[in-house]
Coordinates of all heavy atoms in Angstrom, one line a residue:
M4 N 107.8 53.6 137.0 CA 107.3 55.0 137.2 C 108.4 56.0 136.6 O 108.0 57.0 136.0 CB 107.1 55.2 138.6 CG 106.6 56.6 139.0 SD 104.9 56.6 139.2 CE 104.7 58.3 139.8
G5 N 109.6 55.7 136.9 CA 110.7 56.6 136.4 C 110.8 56.7 134.9 O 111.0 57.8 134.4
F6 N 110.8 55.5 134.3 CA 110.9 55.5 132.8 C 109.7 56.3 132.2 O 109.9 57.0 131.2 CB 111.0 54.1 132.3 CG 111.1 54.0 130.8 CD1 112.3 54.4 130.2 CD2 110.0 53.6 130.0 CE1 112.4 54.3 128.8 CE2 110.1 53.6 128.7 CZ 111.3 53.9 128.0
R7 N 108.5 56.1 132.7 CA 107.4 56.8 132.1 C 107.5 58.3 132.3 O 107.2 59.1 131.4 CB 106.1 56.3 132.8 CG 104.9 56.9 132.2 CD 103.6 56.3 132.7 NE 102.5 56.8 132.0 CZ 101.3 56.9 132.5 NH1 101.0 56.4 133.6 NH2 100.3 57.5 131.8
H8 N 108.0 58.7 133.4 CA 108.2 60.2 133.6 C 109.2 60.7 132.6 O 109.0 61.8 132.1 CB 108.7 60.4 135.1 CG 109.0 61.8 135.4 ND1 108.0 62.8 135.4 CD2 110.1 62.5 135.6 CE1 108.5 64.0 135.7 NE2 109.8 63.8 135.8
I9 N 110.3 60.0 132.4 CA 111.3 60.4 131.4 C 110.7 60.4 130.0 O 110.9 61.4 129.3 CB 112.6 59.5 131.5 CG1 113.3 59.7 132.8 CG2 113.5 59.8 130.3 CD1 114.4 58.7 133.1
Y10 N 110.0 59.4 129.7 CA 109.3 59.3 128.4 C 108.4 60.5 128.2 O 108.4 61.2 127.1 CB 108.6 58.0 128.2 CG 107.8 57.9 126.9 CD1 108.4 57.7 125.7 CD2 106.4 58.1 126.9 CE1 107.7 57.6 124.6 CE2 105.7 58.0 125.8 CZ 106.4 57.7 124.6 OH 105.7 57.7 123.4
L11 N 107.5 60.8 129.1 CA 106.6 62.0 129.0 C 107.4 63.3 128.9 O 107.0 64.2 128.2 CB 105.6 62.0 130.2 CG 104.6 60.8 130.2 CD1 103.8 60.9 131.5 CD2 103.8 60.8 129.0
S12 N 108.5 63.4 129.7 CA 109.2 64.6 129.6 C 109.9 64.8 128.2 O 109.9 65.9 127.7 CB 110.4 64.6 130.6 OG 109.8 64.5 131.9
V13 N 110.4 63.7 127.6 CA 110.9 63.8 126.3 C 109.9 64.1 125.3 O 110.1 64.9 124.4 CB 111.7 62.5 125.9 CG1 112.1 62.4 124.5 CG2 112.9 62.3 126.8
C14 N 108.7 63.6 125.4 CA 107.6 63.8 124.5 C 107.2 65.3 124.5 O 106.9 65.9 123.5 CB 106.4 62.9 124.8 SG 106.6 61.2 124.2
I15 N 107.1 65.8 125.7 CA 106.7 67.2 125.9 C 107.8 68.1 125.3 O 107.5 69.1 124.6 CB 106.4 67.6 127.4 CG1 105.1 66.9 127.8 CG2 106.3 69.1 127.6 CD1 104.9 66.9 129.3
L16 N 109.0 67.8 125.6 CA 110.1 68.6 125.0 C 110.1 68.6 123.5 O 110.3 69.6 122.9 CB 111.5 68.1 125.6 CG 112.7 68.8 125.1 CD1 112.7 70.3 125.6 CD2 114.0 68.1 125.6
Y17 N 109.9 67.4 122.9 CA 109.8 67.3 121.5 C 108.7 68.1 120.9 O 108.9 68.8 119.9 CB 109.6 65.8 121.1 CG 109.5 65.6 119.6 CD1 110.6 65.6 118.8 CD2 108.2 65.3 119.1 CE1 110.4 65.4 117.4 CE2 108.1 65.1 117.8 CZ 109.2 65.1 116.9 OH 109.0 64.9 115.6
K18 N 107.5 68.1 121.6 CA 106.4 68.9 121.1 C 106.7 70.4 121.1 O 106.3 71.1 120.3 CB 105.1 68.6 121.9 CG 104.6 67.2 121.6 CD 103.3 66.9 122.4 CE 102.8 65.5 122.1 NZ 101.6 65.2 122.9
V19 N 107.4 70.8 122.2 CA 107.7 72.2 122.3 C 108.7 72.6 121.2 O 108.6 73.7 120.6 CB 108.3 72.5 123.7 CG1 109.0 73.9 123.8 CG2 107.3 72.4 124.8
I20 N 109.7 71.8 120.9 CA 110.7 72.1 119.9 C 110.0 72.1 118.5 O 110.2 73.0 117.7 CB 111.8 71.0 119.9 CG1 112.7 71.2 121.2 CG2 112.7 71.1 118.6 CD1 113.7 70.1 121.4
V21 N 109.1 71.2 118.2 CA 108.4 71.2 117.0 C 107.5 72.4 116.8 O 107.5 73.0 115.8 CB 107.6 69.8 116.8 CG1 106.7 69.9 115.6 CG2 108.6 68.7 116.6
L22 N 106.8 72.7 117.9 CA 105.9 73.9 117.9 C 106.7 75.2 117.6 O 106.3 76.0 116.8 CB 105.1 74.0 119.2 CG 104.2 75.2 119.3 CD1 103.1 75.0 118.2 CD2 103.6 75.2 120.6
R23 N 107.9 75.3 118.3 CA 108.7 76.5 118.1 C 109.2 76.5 116.6 O 109.2 77.6 116.0 CB 109.9 76.4 119.0 CG 110.8 77.6 118.9 CD 112.0 77.6 119.9 NE 111.5 77.6 121.2 CZ 112.2 77.2 122.3 NH1 113.4 76.8 122.2 NH2 111.6 77.3 123.5
Y24 N 109.6 75.4 116.1 CA 110.0 75.4 114.7 C 108.9 75.8 113.7 O 109.1 76.6 112.8 CB 110.5 74.0 114.3 CG 110.8 73.8 112.8 CD1 112.0 74.3 112.3 CD2 110.0 73.1 112.0 CE1 112.3 74.2 111.0 CE2 110.2 73.0 110.7 CZ 111.4 73.5 110.2 OH 111.7 73.3 108.8
I25 N 107.7 75.3 114.0 CA 106.5 75.6 113.1 C 106.2 77.1 113.2 O 106.0 77.8 112.2 CB 105.3 74.8 113.5 CG1 105.5 73.3 113.1 CG2 104.0 75.3 112.9 CD1 104.5 72.4 113.7
V26 N 106.3 77.7 114.4 CA 106.0 79.1 114.6 C 107.0 80.0 113.9 O 106.7 80.9 113.2 CB 105.9 79.5 116.1 CG1 105.9 81.0 116.3 CG2 104.6 78.8 116.7
I27 N 108.3 79.7 114.1 CA 109.4 80.4 113.4 C 109.3 80.3 111.9 O 109.4 81.3 111.2 CB 110.7 80.0 114.0 CG1 110.9 80.4 115.4 CG2 111.9 80.5 113.1 CD1 112.1 79.8 116.1
T28 N 109.0 79.1 111.4 CA 108.9 78.9 110.0 C 107.7 79.7 109.4 O 107.8 80.4 108.4 CB 108.7 77.5 109.6 OG1 109.8 76.8 110.2 CG2 108.7 77.2 108.1
S29 N 106.6 79.7 110.1 CA 105.4 80.4 109.6 C 105.6 81.9 109.6 O 105.1 82.7 108.8 CB 104.1 80.0 110.4 OG 104.3 80.4 111.7
L30 N 106.3 82.4 110.7 CA 106.6 83.9 110.7 C 107.5 84.3 109.6 O 107.4 85.3 108.9 CB 107.2 84.2 112.0 CG 106.3 84.3 113.2 CD1 107.0 84.5 114.5 CD2 105.2 85.3 113.0
M31 N 108.5 83.4 109.3 CA 109.4 83.7 108.2 C 108.7 83.7 106.8 O 109.0 84.5 106.0 CB 110.6 82.7 108.2 CG 111.6 82.9 109.3 SD 112.8 81.6 109.5 CE 113.5 81.5 107.8
L32 N 107.8 82.7 106.7 CA 107.0 82.7 105.4 C 106.1 83.9 105.3 O 105.9 84.4 104.2 CB 106.2 81.4 105.4 CG 107.0 80.2 105.1 CD1 106.1 78.9 105.1 CD2 107.7 80.2 103.7
A33 N 105.5 84.4 106.4 CA 104.7 85.6 106.3 C 105.5 86.8 105.9 O 105.0 87.6 105.1 CB 104.0 85.8 107.7
V34 N 106.7 86.9 106.4 CA 107.5 88.0 106.1 C 107.9 87.9 104.6 O 107.9 88.9 103.8 CB 108.8 88.1 107.0 CG1 109.8 89.1 106.4 CG2 108.4 88.5 108.4
Q35 N 108.2 86.7 104.2 CA 108.6 86.4 102.8 C 107.4 86.8 101.8 O 107.6 87.4 100.8 CB 109.0 85.0 102.6 CG 109.4 84.7 101.1 CD 109.7 83.2 101.0 OE1 109.7 82.4 101.9 NE2 110.1 82.8 99.8
I36 N 106.2 86.5 102.2 CA 105.1 86.8 101.4 C 104.8 88.3 101.4 O 104.6 88.9 100.3 CB 103.8 86.0 101.9 CG1 104.0 84.5 101.6 CG2 102.6 86.5 101.2 CD1 103.0 83.7 102.3
L37 N 104.9 88.9 102.5 CA 104.6 90.4 102.6 C 105.6 91.2 101.9 O 105.3 92.3 101.3 CB 104.5 90.8 104.0 CG 103.2 90.3 104.7 CD1 103.2 90.7 106.2 CD2 101.9 90.7 104.1
T38 N 106.9 90.7 101.8 CA 107.9 91.5 101.1 C 107.9 91.2 99.6 O 108.6 91.9 98.9 CB 109.3 91.2 101.7 OG1 109.6 89.8 101.6 CG2 109.4 91.7 103.1
G39 N 107.2 90.1 99.2 CA 107.1 89.8 97.8 C 108.3 89.0 97.3 O 108.5 88.8 96.1
E40 N 109.1 88.4 98.1 CA 110.3 87.7 97.7 C 109.9 86.2 97.5 O 109.7 85.5 98.5 CB 111.3 87.8 98.8 CG 112.7 87.1 98.5 CD 113.4 87.9 97.4 OE1 113.2 89.1 97.3 OE2 114.1 87.3 96.7
D41 N 109.7 85.8 96.3 CA 109.4 84.5 95.9 C 108.1 83.9 96.5 O 108.0 82.8 96.9 CB 110.5 83.5 96.1 CG 111.7 83.7 95.2 OD1 111.5 84.3 94.1 OD2 112.8 83.3 95.6
W42 N 107.1 84.8 96.7 CA 105.9 84.4 97.3 C 105.1 83.4 96.5 O 104.4 82.5 97.0 CB 105.0 85.6 97.7 CG 104.4 86.3 96.5 CD1 105.0 87.2 95.7 CD2 103.1 86.0 95.9 NE1 104.2 87.5 94.7 CE2 103.0 86.8 94.8 CE3 102.1 85.2 96.2 CZ2 101.9 86.9 94.0 CZ3 100.9 85.2 95.4 CH2 100.8 86.1 94.3
N43 N 105.3 83.5 95.2 CA 104.6 82.5 94.3 C 105.1 81.1 94.4 O 104.3 80.2 94.3 CB 104.7 83.0 92.8 CG 106.1 83.3 92.4 OD1 107.0 83.3 93.2 ND2 106.3 83.4 91.1
V44 N 106.4 80.9 94.7 CA 106.9 79.6 94.9 C 106.3 79.0 96.2 O 105.9 77.8 96.2 CB 108.5 79.7 95.1 CG1 109.0 78.3 95.4 CG2 109.1 80.2 93.8
V45 N 106.2 79.8 97.2 CA 105.5 79.3 98.5 C 104.1 79.0 98.2 O 103.5 78.0 98.7 CB 105.7 80.4 99.6 CG1 105.0 79.9 100.8 CG2 107.1 80.6 99.9
M46 N 103.4 79.8 97.4 CA 102.0 79.5 97.1 C 101.8 78.2 96.3 O 101.0 77.4 96.6 CB 101.4 80.7 96.2 CG 100.0 80.5 95.9 SD 99.3 81.8 94.8 CE 100.1 81.4 93.3
Y47 N 102.7 78.0 95.3 CA 102.6 76.7 94.6 C 102.9 75.5 95.4 O 102.2 74.5 95.3 CB 103.5 76.7 93.4 CG 103.1 77.7 92.3 CD1 104.0 78.6 91.7 CD2 101.8 77.8 91.9 CE1 103.6 79.5 90.7 CE2 101.4 78.7 90.9 CZ 102.3 79.5 90.3 OH 102.0 80.4 89.4
D48 N 103.8 75.6 96.3 CA 104.1 74.5 97.3 C 102.9 74.3 98.2 O 102.6 73.1 98.5 CB 105.3 74.8 98.1 CG 106.6 74.8 97.3 OD1 106.6 74.2 96.2 OD2 107.6 75.3 97.8
G49 N 102.3 75.4 98.6 CA 101.1 75.2 99.5 C 99.9 74.6 98.7 O 99.2 73.8 99.3
I50 N 99.7 74.9 97.5 CA 98.7 74.3 96.7 C 98.9 72.8 96.5 O 98.0 72.0 96.6 CB 98.6 75.0 95.3 CG1 98.1 76.5 95.5 CG2 97.7 74.3 94.3 CD1 98.1 77.3 94.2
E51 N 100.1 72.5 96.2 CA 100.5 71.1 96.0 C 100.4 70.3 97.3 O 100.0 69.1 97.3 CB 101.9 70.9 95.4 CG 102.0 71.4 94.0 CD 101.1 70.6 93.1 OE1 101.0 69.3 93.2 OE2 100.5 71.2 92.2
A52 N 100.7 70.9 98.5 CA 100.6 70.3 99.8 C 99.1 70.0 100.1 O 98.9 69.0 100.8 CB 101.2 71.1 100.8
Y53 N 98.2 70.7 99.6 CA 96.8 70.5 99.9 C 96.0 69.8 98.8 O 94.8 69.9 98.7 CB 96.1 71.8 100.3 CG 96.4 72.2 101.7 CD1 97.4 73.1 102.0 CD2 95.6 71.7 102.7 CE1 97.6 73.5 103.3 CE2 95.8 72.0 104.1 CZ 96.9 72.9 104.3 OH 97.1 73.3 105.6
G54 N 96.7 69.1 97.9 CA 96.1 68.3 96.9 C 95.9 68.9 95.6 O 95.2 68.4 94.7
G55 N 96.5 70.0 95.3 CA 96.5 70.6 94.0 C 95.3 71.4 93.7 O 94.5 71.7 94.6
V56 N 95.1 71.9 92.5 CA 94.1 72.8 92.1 C 92.7 72.2 92.2 O 91.7 72.9 92.4 CB 94.3 73.4 90.7 CG1 93.3 74.4 90.3 CG2 95.7 74.1 90.7
R57 N 92.6 70.9 92.0 CA 91.3 70.2 92.0 C 90.7 69.9 93.3 O 89.6 69.4 93.4 CB 91.4 68.9 91.2 CG 91.8 69.2 89.8 CD 91.8 67.9 89.0 NE 92.4 68.0 87.7 CZ 91.8 68.5 86.6 NH1 90.5 68.8 86.7 NH2 92.4 68.6 85.5
S58 N 91.4 70.3 94.4 CA 90.8 70.0 95.7 C 90.9 71.3 96.6 O 90.7 72.4 96.1 CB 91.5 68.8 96.4 OG 92.8 69.1 96.7
F59 N 91.4 71.2 97.8 CA 91.5 72.3 98.7 C 92.6 73.3 98.4 O 92.6 74.4 99.0 CB 91.7 71.7 100.2 CG 91.5 72.7 101.3 CD1 90.2 73.1 101.6 CD2 92.6 73.1 102.0 CE1 90.0 74.0 102.6 CE2 92.3 74.0 103.1 CZ 91.1 74.4 103.3
G60 N 93.4 73.0 97.4 CA 94.4 73.9 97.0 C 94.0 75.3 96.5 O 94.7 76.3 96.5
V61 N 92.7 75.3 95.9 CA 92.2 76.6 95.4 C 92.0 77.5 96.6 O 92.3 78.7 96.4 CB 90.8 76.3 94.7 CG1 90.1 77.6 94.3 CG2 91.0 75.4 93.6
V62 N 91.6 77.1 97.7 CA 91.4 77.9 98.9 C 92.8 78.5 99.3 O 92.9 79.7 99.7 CB 90.7 77.2 100.1 CG1 90.6 78.0 101.3 CG2 89.4 76.7 99.7
V63 N 93.8 77.7 99.3 CA 95.2 78.1 99.6 C 95.6 79.2 98.6 O 96.2 80.2 99.0 CB 96.1 76.9 99.6 CG1 97.6 77.4 99.8 CG2 95.8 75.9 100.6
C64 N 95.3 79.0 97.4 CA 95.7 80.0 96.4 C 95.0 81.4 96.7 O 95.6 82.4 96.6 CB 95.3 79.5 95.0 SG 95.7 80.7 93.7
V65 N 93.7 81.3 97.0 CA 93.0 82.6 97.3 C 93.5 83.2 98.5 O 93.7 84.4 98.6 CB 91.4 82.3 97.4 CG1 90.7 83.4 98.0 CG2 90.9 81.8 96.1
Y66 N 93.9 82.4 99.5 CA 94.5 82.9 100.8 C 95.8 83.7 100.5 O 96.0 84.8 101.0 CB 94.7 81.8 101.8 CG 95.5 82.2 102.9 CD1 95.0 83.0 104.0 CD2 96.9 81.8 103.0 CE1 95.8 83.3 105.0 CE2 97.7 82.2 104.1 CZ 97.1 82.9 105.1 OH 97.9 83.3 106.1
F67 N 96.6 83.1 99.7 CA 97.9 83.7 99.4 C 97.7 85.0 98.6 O 98.4 86.0 98.9 CB 98.8 82.7 98.6 CG 99.6 81.8 99.5 CD1 99.2 80.6 99.8 CD2 100.8 82.3 100.0 CE1 99.9 79.7 100.6 CE2 101.6 81.5 100.8 CZ 101.1 80.2 101.1
V68 N 96.8 85.0 97.6 CA 96.6 86.2 96.9 C 96.1 87.3 97.7 O 96.5 88.5 97.7 CB 95.7 85.9 95.6 CG1 95.3 87.2 94.9 CG2 96.4 85.0 94.7
V69 N 95.1 87.0 98.6 CA 94.5 88.0 99.5 C 95.6 88.5 100.5 O 95.7 89.7 100.7 CB 93.3 87.5 100.2 CG1 92.8 88.4 101.3 CG2 92.2 87.3 99.2
L70 N 96.4 87.6 101.0 CA 97.4 88.0 101.9 C 98.4 88.9 101.3 O 98.9 89.9 101.8 CB 98.1 86.8 102.5 CG 99.3 87.0 103.5 CD1 98.7 87.7 104.8 CD2 100.0 85.7 103.8
F71 N 98.8 88.6 100.0 CA 99.8 89.4 99.3 C 99.3 90.8 99.0 O 99.9 91.8 99.2 CB 100.2 88.7 98.0 CG 101.2 89.4 97.2 CD1 102.5 89.4 97.6 CD2 100.9 90.1 96.1 CE1 103.5 90.1 96.9 CE2 101.8 90.7 95.3 CZ 103.1 90.8 95.8
I72 N 98.0 90.9 98.5 CA 97.4 92.2 98.2 C 97.2 93.0 99.4 O 97.6 94.2 99.5 CB 96.1 92.0 97.4 CG1 96.4 91.4 96.0 CG2 95.4 93.3 97.3 CD1 95.2 91.0 95.2
C73 N 96.6 92.4 100.5 CA 96.3 93.2 101.7 C 97.6 93.6 102.4 O 97.8 94.7 102.9 CB 95.5 92.4 102.7 SG 93.8 92.2 102.1
G74 N 98.6 92.7 102.4 CA 99.9 93.0 103.0 C 100.6 94.1 102.3 O 101.2 95.0 103.0
N75 N 100.6 94.1 101.0 CA 101.2 95.2 100.3 C 100.5 96.5 100.5 O 101.1 97.6 100.6 CB 101.3 94.9 98.8 CG 102.5 94.0 98.5 OD1 103.5 94.0 99.2 ND2 102.4 93.2 97.5
C76 N 99.1 96.5 100.6 CA 98.4 97.7 100.8 C 98.7 98.3 102.2 O 98.9 99.5 102.4 CB 96.9 97.5 100.7 SG 96.3 97.2 99.1
I77 N 98.9 97.4 103.2 CA 99.2 97.9 104.5 C 100.6 98.4 104.6 O 100.9 99.5 105.2 CB 99.1 96.7 105.5 CG1 97.6 96.4 105.7 CG2 99.7 97.1 106.9 CD1 97.3 95.1 106.5
L78 N 101.5 97.8 103.9 CA 102.9 98.3 103.8 C 103.0 99.6 103.1 O 103.8 100.5 103.5 CB 103.8 97.2 103.2 CG 104.2 96.0 104.0 CD1 105.0 95.0 103.2 CD2 104.9 96.3 105.3
R79 N 102.3 99.7 102.0 CA 102.3 101.0 101.3 C 101.7 102.1 102.1 O 102.2 103.3 102.1 CB 101.5 100.9 100.0 CG 102.1 99.8 99.0 CD 103.5 100.2 98.5 NE 103.9 99.2 97.6 CZ 105.0 98.6 97.7 NH1 105.8 98.8 98.7 NH2 105.4 97.6 96.8
S80 N 100.6 101.9 102.8 CA 100.0 102.9 103.6 C 100.9 103.4 104.8 O 101.0 104.5 105.1 CB 98.6 102.5 104.2 OG 98.8 101.5 105.1
T81 N 101.7 102.4 105.4 CA 102.6 102.9 106.4 C 103.8 103.6 105.9 O 104.3 104.5 106.5 CB 103.1 101.6 107.2 OG1 103.7 100.7 106.3 CG2 102.0 100.9 108.0
E82 N 104.2 103.3 104.6 CA 105.2 104.1 104.0 C 104.8 105.5 103.7 O 105.5 106.5 103.9 CB 105.7 103.5 102.7 CG 106.5 102.2 102.8 CD 106.9 101.7 101.5 OE1 106.5 102.2 100.4 OE2 107.5 100.6 101.5
Q83 N 103.5 105.7 103.3 CA 103.0 107.0 103.1 C 103.0 107.9 104.3 O 103.4 109.1 104.3 CB 101.6 107.0 102.5 CG 101.6 106.5 101.1 CD 100.1 106.3 100.6 OE1 99.2 106.4 101.3 NE2 100.0 106.0 99.3
F84 N 102.6 107.3 105.4 CA 102.6 108.0 106.7 C 104.0 108.3 107.2 O 104.2 109.4 107.8 CB 101.8 107.3 107.8 CG 100.3 107.2 107.5 CD1 99.6 106.0 107.4 CD2 99.6 108.4 107.3 CE1 98.3 106.0 107.1 CE2 98.2 108.4 107.0 CZ 97.6 107.1 106.9
S85 N 104.9 107.5 107.0 CA 106.3 107.7 107.5 C 107.0 108.7 106.6 O 107.9 109.4 107.1 CB 107.1 106.4 107.5 OG 107.2 105.9 106.2
L86 N 106.6 108.9 105.3 CA 107.3 109.9 104.5 C 106.8 111.3 104.7 O 107.5 112.2 104.4 CB 107.1 109.5 103.0 CG 107.7 108.2 102.5 CD1 107.4 107.9 101.1 CD2 109.3 108.3 102.7
H87 N 105.6 111.5 105.2 CA 105.0 112.8 105.4 C 105.3 113.3 106.8 O 104.5 113.3 107.7 CB 103.5 112.8 105.2 CG 103.1 112.4 103.8 ND1 103.4 113.3 102.7 CD2 102.5 111.4 103.3 CE1 102.9 112.8 101.6 NE2 102.4 111.6 101.9
K88 N 106.6 113.7 107.0 CA 106.9 114.2 108.3 C 106.7 115.7 108.3 O 107.0 116.4 107.4 CB 108.4 114.0 108.6 CG 108.7 112.5 108.7 CD 110.2 112.3 108.9 CE 110.5 110.8 109.0 NZ 111.9 110.5 109.2
P89 N 106.1 116.2 109.4 CA 105.8 117.6 109.5 C 107.0 118.5 109.6 O 108.1 118.1 110.0 CB 104.9 117.8 110.7 CG 105.1 116.5 111.5 CD 105.7 115.5 110.6

């Protein structure tokens, strides 16, 4: 009973650490894409991770392009509002 409790505790702790790593990495990638810093490299890696252009990678490409365009539009609109101080 004790070993199983320790094993389950370690498994839960491992899942929490991995989930935290995934969340932090995805947030950093979102900031990287929105700022335009090497977003194309991340896009090509994502396409290759999902099987290339001939499979699900096309959806990944469209996602990255839409995210980049919409993110830049949002960032530009907030800059316009912050520059027009009364």
Side-chain angles (χ1 to χ4, degrees):
M4 177 104 171
F6 180 73
R7 184 170 183 206
H8 178 69
I9 293 172
Y10 175 75
L11 291 176
S12 298
V13 169
C14 286
I15 291 171
L16 180 64
Y17 177 74
K18 287 180 182 180
V19 167
I20 290 172
V21 168
L22 181 63
R23 183 178 296 163
Y24 174 75
I25 291 171
V26 168
I27 290 172
T28 303
S29 62
L30 288 175
M31 288 173 52
L32 284 176
V34 168
Q35 180 180 1
I36 292 167
L37 292 177
T38 58
E40 186 70 30
D41 290 337
W42 69 277
N43 53 346
V44 175
V45 177
M46 181 184 70
Y47 291 134
D48 290 342
I50 291 171
E51 291 300 319
Y53 280 96
V56 180
R57 300 188 190 271
S58 67
F59 195 67
V61 175
V62 177
V63 174
C64 179
V65 170
Y66 169 75
F67 273 97
V68 170
V69 168
L70 179 66
F71 181 74
I72 291 171
C73 292
N75 280 333
C76 289
I77 291 170
L78 288 175
R79 300 292 182 238
S80 67
T81 57
E82 284 180 3
Q83 288 175 352
F84 289 123
S85 65
L86 292 178
H87 296 292
K88 295 181 181 177

